[in-house]
Amino acid sequence: MSSEQHLQHKRHALQEHYDLLAEKLKRLRHDYAIAADTLIRFQLEKQIEQTEAELNELDQQLYVLERALSSGRVYRALLKLGYREQTRAFRRFIEIHSVGAFLIHGSLYYGQRWLLNRLVVQNVPNIMTGKVVRIELSRIARRSDSAALWRELGGRVGLGRQSSIPEIAERVYQWWRTQNVLLIFYDVDCLSETFLHELIRDFWLLLATNEQ
């Protein structure tokens, strides 16, 4: 078995495991949505968090394998999905603008995080010495109040979890003045329209206006 075949076999096994976990997560979320008992909901929430963490870990492993197979059939197949066009559009944008927001969307678990990593690694090489903030919105969206989002974001940027939205935006702005800043919000589709509107209106517009 050649080195590439070995990597392909390993990737296939990881993808099968990933698909099974994705199906498990779907069932857990369904059970959580209809569960009435508080204890059961708590147990399901913990299982959901654990499964999401396992999926994220597998996602990173798959990304590493896909990079190793960059000269192979898997990589070429992924490029046929239109990533060259998206890469060119992303590169053109960041060459002109210093502030931008991008939405990567598609069917569930169809390589969105792979594309995100590819865009960042290839086009923002200095990001590794900058600030990267990752927020898993699927976990936050299970709570009933939008304050959970701001508590999470405040903690992620090194402020107290009771920090105000302007304070959070100001912290990110001060970072941006001296280095690259990458804010990644995973699973935006998990937010309600109201939550998403609040995130854009009360945080992103404030931040983007300051940075202009």
Side-chain angles (χ1 to χ4, degrees):
M1 180 182 294
S2 67
S3 175
E4 181 172 341
Q5 288 175 327
H6 175 73
L7 290 176
Q8 291 278 18
H9 179 75
K10 184 176 181 180
R11 184 193 182 282
H12 180 71
L14 283 175
Q15 187 64 57
E16 285 188 339
H17 188 195
Y18 188 97
D19 293 341
L20 287 173
L21 280 178
E23 183 62 30
K24 176 183 176 181
L25 181 61
K26 182 179 179 180
R27 292 197 304 269
L28 287 171
R29 285 175 171 167
H30 175 267
D31 292 344
Y32 181 87
I34 63 176
D37 184 87
T38 302
L39 178 59
I40 293 177
R41 287 175 64 86
F42 176 78
Q43 293 172 340
L44 286 170
E45 183 169 7
K46 292 302 180 183
Q47 292 181 54
I48 289 172
E49 290 178 357
Q50 180 180 351
T51 305
E52 286 175 340
E54 292 176 10
L55 278 170
N56 289 337
E57 176 62 28
L58 284 175
D59 189 69
Q60 290 301 314
Q61 292 180 39
L62 284 167
Y63 169 66
V64 171
L65 284 176
E66 285 160 357
R67 291 192 65 183
L69 288 164
S70 60
S71 61
R73 289 172 297 175
V74 173
Y75 184 79
R76 291 194 295 271
L78 286 169
L79 291 181
K80 290 179 182 179
L81 298 177
Y83 289 165
R84 283 196 180 96
E85 179 181 348
Q86 292 163 321
T87 299
R88 286 196 296 268
F90 180 79
R91 185 182 298 117
R92 286 196 301 267
F93 186 93
I94 65 174
E95 286 174 352
I96 299 173
H97 304 282
S98 60
V99 181
F102 304 89
L103 175 65
I104 299 177
H105 63 93
S107 299
L108 190 63
Y109 305 124
Y110 266 58
Q112 291 89 341
R113 298 195 185 203
W114 183 90
L115 175 57
L116 169 65
N117 288 331
R118 182 168 186 262
L119 292 175
V120 172
V121 171
Q122 289 192 357
N123 298 284
V124 195
N126 294 327
I127 195 61
M128 298 309 171
T129 59
K131 293 288 187 180
V132 180
V133 178
R134 296 179 173 87
I135 302 292
E136 296 282 353
L137 293 176
S138 59
R139 180 165 57 87
I140 295 171
R142 292 197 300 273
R143 306 171 192 174
S144 58
D145 64 312
S146 61
L149 171 60
W150 308 119
R151 289 195 298 269
E152 181 77 11
L153 190 54
R156 292 287 183 176
V157 301
L159 296 173
R161 295 175 68 83
Q162 301 303 319
S163 301
S164 67
I165 301 173
E167 288 174 334
I168 297 171
E170 177 64 20
R171 169 59 62 88
V172 176
Y173 170 66
Q174 292 302 325
W175 282 349
W176 175 82
R177 295 182 65 185
T178 59
Q179 61 197 304
N180 286 322
V181 179
L182 180 64
L183 303 175
I184 304 174
F185 295 93
Y186 293 115
D187 302 319
V188 174
D189 59 301
C190 291
L191 288 184
S192 68
E193 184 176 346
T194 300
F195 273 33
L196 181 58
H197 179 71
E198 185 174 337
L199 175 62
I200 296 172
R201 182 197 64 206
D202 296 342
F203 175 70
W204 176 250
L205 288 180
L206 177 61
L207 180 61
T209 301
N210 284 339
E211 292 184 351
Q212 295 297 339

